[in-house]
Amino acid sequence: MDAEREQADVVETPRGKVWIVAKASPELIASLQLEEGMGVFAAPHYPASREKRALERIARGEESNIILAFNEDERIVGFVAIAPPSTAERWGKLSGQGLIEAMAIEVSQNWRGLGIANKMMEIGLRDQFFDDKIVICTGYTGHWDLESSGLSKQDYRRMLLEYLEKAGFMYYETDEPNVNLDSANFFSARIGPRVDTDLYSRFEQLLFKDQAWADFRGRPRRMSEVLGKGGLTMRKAPAE
């Protein structure tokens, strides 16, 4: 745990220093407290501490990765929770085989607008842990903190897509029913530089069950294209 703290990246913000750790251990998470502006993802009528226990549990997983941000007061001000998807989901067919999911991204309401979310992704994803993995991230409007942010659904969507593009994610079409329940929902993925062609092929096969979507196969798009700000840039082929 002490080694984790010593190796953490230190980020200067107008509110003070923030330490960012990738692959945070359950012990490090347990040693910290949640900052009072955290807890957006805790279930209704449950204390925010439930969220911290969930982070500790996820961190124990071999293919999980909690990217953690904490301040000088030893309080968690942000996290990105990455873990294998549930086997009950379509993407769960590749759970444990190199496909993982960014399940939750949160920054304390008191620490937003300071670049912490971008720094967590930037620092976390440079870890070699991600090089041979596909990281998916699904945007569901029902999970968005629209009330606290003051943003409209479309503006919040734009913010998330721009954030994910900076982290190397691409926009993928899919016929997965939950993604298509709301036109503002989206599905994205980051393909690690050492993802083999077999894993990528199986991932592509999961995107569509309905042949009517066939025109979208193999055509990931940059977020800027989806948002109408630029042309198409195709992904690099995965490593042979």
Side-chain angles (χ1 to χ4, degrees):
M1 189 169 67
D2 289 340
E4 286 182 277
R5 292 170 182 268
E6 291 171 5
Q7 294 170 12
D9 285 81
V10 182
V11 177
E12 296 281 355
T13 81
R15 289 208 58 185
K17 293 180 180 179
V18 171
W19 283 258
I20 297 178
V21 177
K23 206 80 168 67
S25 69
E27 293 76 21
L28 175 61
I29 297 169
S31 73
L32 302 167
Q33 298 298 315
L34 281 179
E35 207 270 340
E36 62 181 11
M38 296 291 290
V40 169
F41 291 99
H45 312 302
Y46 282 89
S49 57
R50 188 172 190 260
E51 181 174 88
K52 189 163 89 76
R53 290 195 297 272
L55 293 178
E56 293 174 40
R57 175 179 53 78
I58 292 170
R60 295 188 187 98
E62 187 175 334
E63 284 214 327
S64 298
N65 196 316
I66 300 296
I67 303 166
L68 199 69
F70 59 94
N71 65 13
E72 293 176 284
D73 295 327
E74 302 278 287
R75 294 189 176 274
I76 296 169
V77 298
F79 67 82
V80 180
I82 299 174
S86 166
T87 53
E89 299 178 11
R90 178 184 295 196
W91 324 111
K93 292 181 179 179
L94 291 178
S95 186
Q97 300 177 54
L99 187 143
I100 51 181
E101 180 177 11
M103 296 179 167
I105 302 165
E106 183 179 352
V107 174
S108 165
Q109 294 175 3
N110 302 321
W111 288 75
R112 292 178 185 171
L114 304 176
I116 293 172
N118 286 327
K119 279 295 183 182
M120 285 194 296
M121 275 292 200
E122 175 192 327
I123 291 166
L125 291 178
R126 75 188 183 199
D127 193 312
Q128 292 182 350
F129 170 87
F130 295 102
D131 285 358
D132 61 353
K133 294 179 178 66
I134 295 175
V135 185
I136 64 172
C137 185
T138 308
Y140 291 122
T141 58
H143 296 169
W144 298 350
D145 189 16
L146 298 176
E147 183 178 353
S148 296
S149 69
L151 297 175
S152 68
K153 187 189 292 186
Q154 289 303 320
D155 285 342
Y156 204 100
R157 181 179 192 266
R158 175 179 290 274
M159 176 188 70
L160 290 175
L161 292 178
E162 290 177 344
Y163 167 67
L164 289 167
E165 181 169 53
K166 290 177 185 176
F169 285 76
M170 300 284 280
Y171 188 100
Y172 284 80
E173 301 287 354
T174 177
D175 63 2
E176 204 285 321
N178 289 322
V179 175
N180 292 292
L181 279 174
D182 189 312
S183 61
N185 290 349
F186 63 84
F187 180 82
S188 65
R190 177 186 183 273
I191 313 301
R194 291 194 291 109
V195 168
D196 64 49
T197 52
D198 179 62
L199 174 58
Y200 187 79
S201 176
R202 286 182 290 149
F203 163 67
E204 279 196 317
Q205 290 168 21
L206 288 180
L207 291 171
F208 307 102
K209 291 184 177 180
D210 185 346
Q211 287 303 306
W213 289 71
D215 287 348
F216 289 108
R217 290 182 186 275
R219 189 179 179 269
R221 291 180 287 166
R222 289 184 61 193
M223 306 306 188
S224 54
E225 182 195 2
V226 174
L227 295 171
K229 298 191 299 181
L232 172 66
T233 299
M234 298 297 287
R235 66 167 177 84
K236 291 183 179 180
E240 297 293 339

